[in-house]
Amino acid sequence: MATPAQGRWWALVLLSSGVVGAMTCWFSATAIMPQLILEWSLTPAQAGWLTNSVQLGFVFGAIAASLVNLPDIMRLTRLIAISALLAGAANVILLAQPGWTAAVIARFVTGMALAGVYPPAMKLMATWFVHGRGLAMGVLIGAVTLGSSMPHLFRAVSDGLDWRVVMILSSAGAALSVIIFGMLVKEGPYAFGRAVFDPRRAFATFRERSLLLANLGYFGHMWELYAMWAWFLAFATAARQEGTASLGSPSFFAFLVVASGAIGCVLGGMLSDRIGRCLTTAGMMAISGTCALLIGFAFDGPAWLLALIAIIWGISIIGDSAQYSAAVTELSDPRFVGTALTIQVSVGFALTVFTIWMMPHVAAFLGGWQWAFVVLLPGPLVGIWAMLRLRRLPEAARLAGGKG
């Protein structure tokens, strides 16, 4: 086993801080959607596309990067810094109120740029950690979670102020990320090595059985995750209108639910290194799927029960996310880890485009948000099956130091 790298924990702190900063751009428009709907006279479909365009941009950027093996042939810190700069610049465009079409394009570019931050950051982290990689990956995805939740906090604390405050603060976060990755972070001593351009490697994850099962687990997880993150504010707002007010304003409630996932990511990382990737992910999905099923029962109160289920859901829905990526770093060809990670997240995020689009239609069909989240349950069920099936393969011995 490799000797633990000196300075790895400080590197993880810097890396995670940079990821938090960049990811504040992800839901910046979603957090101010009620204000944009009023000021820009948006239809529900137009409002949905302001969120979904980020997902589409991320998918496009991730697929393009994986096809040219960009995370494996370009210096990681340079790639992430340039991408964070582009994300922040695209985010700023909304301050000029450019109109719906230009705003959708800007959000698309934001998502495309973040595809150069999130997957490469996972590979960068792995160059610092061989021991404890599951925990470190959990901390990193916790940073993604915290960064994604920050616009809701910005909106909650700036309630009554102009919505542009949220956009300015999120762009400032991206600027901080540029400084960190451009000047303070470097690759660790356990680099995976540079690869040559080979577009065929982008499809290896669908040919190798162990990687395919790990990715199926991830896809089931993603079916649920971003649909809940994107629409929990709408759910909380609807519950408040029905008289169930939990944990302050709907914006603050949404922030707490999404941000609580950072706890789940660290917990999932610790469990994964102790009992294995497969059992940890299957257990987390079992809990989150149960919450998706139960939260409708608490829609009408009591408020404490709604808050309890929502926080448990927020912790469990993301607590397994890092471990699919950790599994890919352990199962794939070391020369193409970046490509394998990027193709994994690109397909996973492509699923989120559909589920984010689907949710308001489901809510309209059901006459409200109370039972809309039930349609997310099939994702965790498929994911549980895939990860337990992976645990029975010989390749599972390569996961979490032999724990599976």
Side-chain angles (χ1 to χ4, degrees):
M1 294 291 291
T3 303
Q6 293 294 319
R8 64 193 185 281
W9 296 112
W10 177 239
L12 182 60
V13 169
L14 287 174
L15 205 160
S16 298
S17 300
V19 168
V20 169
M23 294 303 293
T24 56
C25 294
W26 194 291
F27 285 119
S28 56
T30 303
I32 58 174
M33 195 63 69
Q35 291 74 35
L36 294 183
I37 289 173
L38 291 176
E39 286 197 22
W40 295 6
S41 300
L42 300 178
T43 67
Q46 288 175 321
W49 277 110
L50 276 177
T51 295
N52 241 342
S53 56
V54 182
Q55 310 294 119
L56 284 169
F58 186 93
V59 172
F60 178 85
I63 291 176
S66 62
L67 288 176
V68 299
N69 312 125
L70 190 62
D72 297 307
I73 61 179
M74 185 175 179
R75 196 171 76 189
L76 290 170
T77 52
R78 179 179 300 167
L79 172 61
I80 298 171
I82 292 172
S83 299
L85 179 62
L86 179 60
N91 197 59
V92 165
I93 290 175
L94 268 69
L95 294 175
Q97 299 191 68
W100 179 77
T101 301
V104 167
I105 294 173
R107 299 305 293 159
F108 181 90
V109 173
T110 301
M112 185 177 66
L114 291 175
V117 175
Y118 176 10
M122 291 190 289
K123 181 183 178 184
L124 180 59
M125 182 282 304
T127 68
W128 283 97
F129 286 85
V130 177
H131 297 279
R133 182 173 292 180
L135 174 58
M137 195 74 80
V139 171
L140 181 61
I141 303 303
V144 172
T145 304
L146 185 59
S148 299
S149 71
M150 289 304 289
H152 291 298
L153 179 61
F154 296 157
R155 178 70 280 180
V157 299
S158 65
D159 189 28
L161 300 179
D162 194 281
W163 57 263
R164 293 170 184 81
V165 172
V166 175
M167 305 308 293
I168 292 170
L169 290 174
S170 55
S171 294
L176 175 64
S177 179
V178 173
I179 294 172
I180 290 175
F181 287 108
M183 302 175 61
L184 302 178
V185 177
K186 63 179 181 178
E187 289 191 33
Y190 303 114
F192 291 95
R194 295 286 185 264
V196 296
F197 173 60
D198 182 2
R200 294 172 298 178
R201 294 304 307 175
F203 304 100
T205 54
F206 302 106
R207 296 193 301 265
E208 299 171 15
R209 191 178 185 189
S210 59
L211 281 173
L212 177 59
L213 287 170
N215 282 321
L216 280 176
Y218 180 73
F219 301 156
H221 153 77
M222 290 297 281
W223 175 270
E224 181 188 20
L225 175 62
Y226 272 82
M228 185 271 219
W229 275 6
W231 293 109
F232 190 83
L233 177 60
F235 178 90
T237 301
R240 187 181 184 88
Q241 291 170 348
E242 293 297 320
T244 309
S246 293
L247 303 178
S249 69
S251 290
F252 191 64
F253 189 15
F255 162 72
L256 289 177
V257 169
V258 178
S260 67
I263 299 171
C265 291
V266 176
L267 177 62
M270 295 172 64
L271 285 173
S272 182
D273 286 334
R274 288 178 177 271
I275 67 174
R277 315 273 186 242
C278 297
L279 287 179
T280 298
T281 52
M284 287 287 185
M285 281 187 285
I287 296 171
S288 66
T290 301
C291 290
L293 180 64
L294 293 180
I295 197 164
F297 289 100
F299 183 83
D300 297 321
W304 67 265
L305 181 60
L306 177 61
L308 178 63
I309 295 174
I311 293 296
I312 292 174
W313 198 11
I315 291 171
S316 59
I317 198 171
I318 187 66
D320 54 336
S321 189
Q323 305 317 315
Y324 306 105
S325 302
V328 164
T329 67
E330 294 162 333
L331 293 171
S332 61
D333 184 333
R335 297 171 301 163
F336 293 97
V337 166
T339 296
L341 287 170
T342 305
I343 198 67
Q344 180 191 62
V345 298
S346 65
V347 177
F349 276 86
L351 275 175
T352 70
V353 173
F354 174 73
T355 55
I356 288 173
W357 169 86
M358 173 185 69
M359 288 305 300
H361 295 282
V362 171
F365 176 78
L366 295 176
W369 281 97
Q370 181 171 5
W371 301 108
F373 286 134
V374 172
V375 300
L376 302 180
L377 183 57
L381 293 178
V382 171
I384 291 169
W385 172 84
M387 296 309 292
L388 293 181
R389 184 71 187 87
L390 172 60
R391 189 168 184 262
R392 304 209 310 257
L393 296 184
E395 291 88 342
R398 292 152 60 184
L399 299 173
K403 297 182 179 67

